[in-house]
Amino acid sequence: MSISVVLFTSDLRLHDHPALRAAQGGSAALVPLFVRDDAVAEAGFTAPNRMAFLADCLADLDAGLRERGGRLVVRSGDVVAQVCKVVAEADADEVHMAAGVSAYARRREERLRTALEGEGCRLHVHDAVITALAPGAVTPSSSDHFAVFTPYFRRWSQEPLRNAVAVPRAIRVPDGVGSEEIPSRRGLSGLSQGLARGGEREGRRRLAAWLRAGIASYEDGHDDLPGDATSRLSPHLHFGTLSPVELVHRARAAGGPGAEAFVRQLAWRDFHHQVLAARPDAAVADYRTKHDRWRSGTMAREDIQAWKEGRTGYPVVDAAMRQLRHEGWMHNRARLLAASFLTKTLYVDWRIGARHFLDLLVDGDVANNQLNWQWMAGTGTDSRPGRVLNPVTQAKRYDPDGEYVRRWVPELAGLAGGAVHEPCKLQGLERAAYDYPDPVVDLSDALARFRAARDRG
C-alpha cells in the first residue's frame, strides 16, 4: 500500500472531497497538507478578512481530522518546494489535489507535476471539487467555452453531477512529518468588525439553517436589501468548506421555485469559472473591450475615495459600501448597484472597484469578483453592456421603506420611509440638519457622459 499526500487549496472540508477520498482509498496512510503560499502574498491577495476566515477554516479542518485520528500539516513557502519536501519526508507515492481554473492555479499544477515526476511521484488532479461541473464539462459547438449564461445554464442543467462522496471515518498520518502551528485570527489587524466565522462546521450549520428556513423564499426575496434573504454561503464556497456538488443535490432535493433560483446562482458561479478557465487574462483585461478611456485625475480620485468611504451622496450606494467595510461581505443586489455606480455613473475603471472588493470581501474570488465586475462594467459577458442601474430607482424598488439605508447610513435615520433615498431634495434648515454629502454627480449628467464615452468608440 502506498502513502499519499492530499494538497488542500480552495477545498477546506472533509465532506464530499473526492481528492481526499481517492487518496485514502488506495493508501496505507496519507498526509493532509495545506501550504501558506508565498506567491499569494506577493500578488497582494492576503486580505486580512480572508486570512482570518482562512485561519478559522484551517483550525476547523485540523479538528475534524484529529477526530478521525489524523491531523493537518501546515507549511509556508513555495507550494511546489513544500509539497516535494513533504513527499520526501513521508516517502509518498502520490499527491492528490483539486483542479483550479485561474492562470496561477494551472501553472502551479504544471510545476508540481513536473517536479513530482522527477521524484517518481504521481500527481492526480480531481475535477468537480471546487465547482459543481468542471469548467470544460460542457462547451458550445463553435467555441471552447460559453460566453452567454442562458445557453450555458441550459446545458449545465442537463449534465449529470457526480455523487457526493462520504466523509472518511479514519485517517492515519505517517510519523515524521512535521507541521507549523495552525494559524489563528488572533493578532490579525484590519479586520471588518462584523466578519463572520469560518470553518466547515460553521458552513454546514449555515447550510442546514438555509435549507430549513431560507431557501423556500429565495426566489421572491433574494433582491430584498433589508430582508437579507440570501444564503450568505459564498465565503464557504470560496474556501471550499462546502461542496458545490452537495449544495446542488440538496437544493434540488428540497425542490420548489426558491431552490431552483438558488441552483441557478450556483450555475452562475460555475459559468464564471469556465469563462476564466478559457480566458485567464479576463482577471485583469477586458473580456470584450469597449475601448474605454476611463476617467482619471484629481476629480476621479476624489470620486473614487467618496465611493470607497460611502460618501457619494447616493444613500443606497453608500449603505452598500459601508456594509462591505463592516462585514467584509455585501448583499448581491448591493454589489450590482455599487459596481454600476463606479463604472458607469462615475465612469471609473472596473479594475479599481474589483481591487477594492478583493481587499475587503471575505468571499473575494478571482473568477466571480472580476467577471461580475466586468459584467456590470459592460466589458464582460452581459448581453446588454450599456445598461446603467439608477441608484435612486433601484433603491425605491429593493429598499422601498429605506430600512437598509438607515441600517448602514445612520446619519439619515431621521428621514422616514422612502424619503431617505433622496436627501438632496431637502431644502434649507431641514437639509442642514443632516450631516450627509450632496451627490458627487448628477445622474442625468453622468448618464450622458457614459453614453458619449461609449459612443465615441
Side-chain angles (χ1 to χ4, degrees):
M1 295 287 282
S2 64
I3 294 176
S4 295
V5 173
V6 179
L7 177 61
F8 288 89
T9 55
S10 300
D11 49 353
L12 304 178
R13 63 180 184 269
L14 298 178
H15 289 77
D16 188 36
H17 200 298
L20 177 62
R21 193 69 181 181
Q24 188 198 35
S27 303
L30 62 88
V31 181
L33 172 66
F34 181 84
V35 179
R36 302 172 73 181
D37 190 353
D38 285 348
V40 173
E42 290 166 3
F45 288 111
T46 52
N49 286 338
R50 289 197 297 282
M51 291 303 96
F53 200 92
L54 171 63
D56 295 345
C57 295
L58 295 177
D60 189 69
L61 180 59
D62 180 60
L65 288 165
R66 288 181 183 277
E67 289 173 1
R68 292 161 176 82
R71 60 188 171 89
L72 181 63
V73 173
V74 176
R75 298 290 179 89
S76 298
D78 174 73
V79 171
V80 174
Q82 292 302 320
V83 171
C84 288
K85 284 183 181 179
V86 170
V87 164
E89 291 170 18
D91 195 21
D93 306 289
E94 298 181 340
V95 174
H96 293 258
M97 68 181 298
V101 301
S102 70
Y104 172 71
R106 291 158 76 178
R107 288 195 303 271
R108 177 181 61 196
E109 288 170 18
E110 288 309 308
R111 287 178 58 226
L112 189 53
R113 189 182 306 279
T114 300
L116 291 175
E117 284 175 354
E119 301 294 329
C121 184
R122 296 181 298 277
L123 176 66
H124 300 274
V125 179
H126 298 262
D127 288 326
V129 179
I130 292 171
T131 54
L133 283 184
V138 293
T139 56
S141 58
S142 59
S143 178
D144 59 352
H145 73 289
F146 281 93
V148 179
F149 175 72
T150 300
Y152 173 79
F153 181 56
R154 192 179 302 118
R155 288 281 304 279
W156 185 93
S157 300
Q158 296 168 354
E159 193 74 9
L161 299 185
R162 64 168 178 80
N163 293 325
V165 300
V167 183
R169 292 184 178 180
I171 293 173
R172 187 174 80 80
V173 178
D175 296 332
V177 182
S179 175
E180 298 172 6
E181 185 178 351
I182 302 296
S184 168
R185 68 163 62 191
R186 292 190 303 273
L188 287 172
S189 60
L191 300 183
S192 292
Q193 185 177 343
L195 182 66
R197 300 293 303 181
E200 183 177 13
R201 268 174 273 215
E202 174 63 13
R204 298 192 71 79
R205 183 194 68 77
R206 284 183 175 270
L207 173 59
W210 169 246
L211 293 172
R212 183 175 61 252
I215 197 169
S217 60
Y218 182 71
E219 183 185 37
D220 294 331
H222 69 275
D223 277 324
D224 177 16
L225 285 168
D228 194 12
T230 62
S231 71
R232 287 186 175 250
L233 296 178
S234 56
H236 294 279
L237 283 164
H238 173 63
F239 285 92
T241 56
L242 291 176
S243 157
V245 170
E246 183 185 359
L247 261 61
V248 173
H249 281 312
R250 294 187 66 177
R252 284 174 172 168
E260 292 172 8
F262 181 62
V263 168
R264 185 179 176 89
Q265 292 304 311
L266 294 172
W268 265 108
R269 182 175 181 271
D270 275 15
F271 172 74
H272 285 148
H273 279 76
Q274 61 96 39
V275 171
L276 187 66
R279 299 290 183 272
D281 65 340
V284 294
D286 290 346
Y287 178 76
R288 291 175 175 149
T289 185
K290 296 295 184 290
H291 304 287
D292 286 294
R293 285 167 279 187
W294 303 106
R295 290 174 63 225
S296 59
T298 303
M299 252 331 263
R301 286 195 295 272
E302 291 176 358
D303 288 349
I304 293 165
Q305 194 60 32
W307 176 81
K308 288 180 178 180
E309 294 175 358
R311 299 282 292 171
T312 68
Y314 288 96
V316 74
V317 174
D318 295 340
M321 299 307 294
R322 297 185 196 188
Q323 181 182 24
L324 171 62
R325 187 163 294 280
H326 181 81
E327 295 189 354
W329 184 89
M330 190 193 292
H331 190 288
N332 183 61
R333 173 55 55 176
R335 297 187 198 207
L336 297 178
L337 293 175
S340 175
F341 189 83
L342 184 73
T343 59
K344 290 174 174 172
T345 302
L346 296 181
Y347 198 53
V348 166
D349 194 332
W350 63 267
R351 281 158 283 242
I352 293 173
R355 177 73 259 178
H356 183 66
F357 270 33
L358 283 179
D359 286 343
L360 291 171
L361 281 175
V362 67
D363 61 12
D365 178 285
V366 171
N368 292 300
N369 186 65
Q370 308 302 85
L371 289 168
N372 271 320
W373 268 95
Q374 290 225 47
W375 193 89
M376 212 55 254
T379 63
T381 61
D382 187 6
S383 58
R384 293 172 53 201
R387 79 174 81 203
V388 178
L389 300 183
N390 182 304
V392 177
T393 302
Q394 292 272 309
K396 291 178 178 178
R397 180 179 303 166
Y398 298 116
D399 185 25
D401 295 323
E403 295 174 36
Y404 178 74
V405 165
R406 279 187 290 274
R407 183 182 307 159
W408 296 108
V409 190
E411 61 266 40
L412 296 178
L415 287 173
V420 76
H421 298 308
E422 298 180 280
C424 60
K425 287 188 173 181
L426 301 176
Q427 301 291 324
L429 291 176
E430 190 178 14
R431 174 69 183 89
Y434 294 95
D435 179 21
Y436 184 74
D438 290 328
V440 294
V441 66
D442 177 82
L443 293 180
S444 297
D445 292 344
L447 182 60
R449 176 175 64 192
F450 171 70
R451 288 176 173 168
R454 283 285 167 92
D455 287 347
R456 72 189 176 202

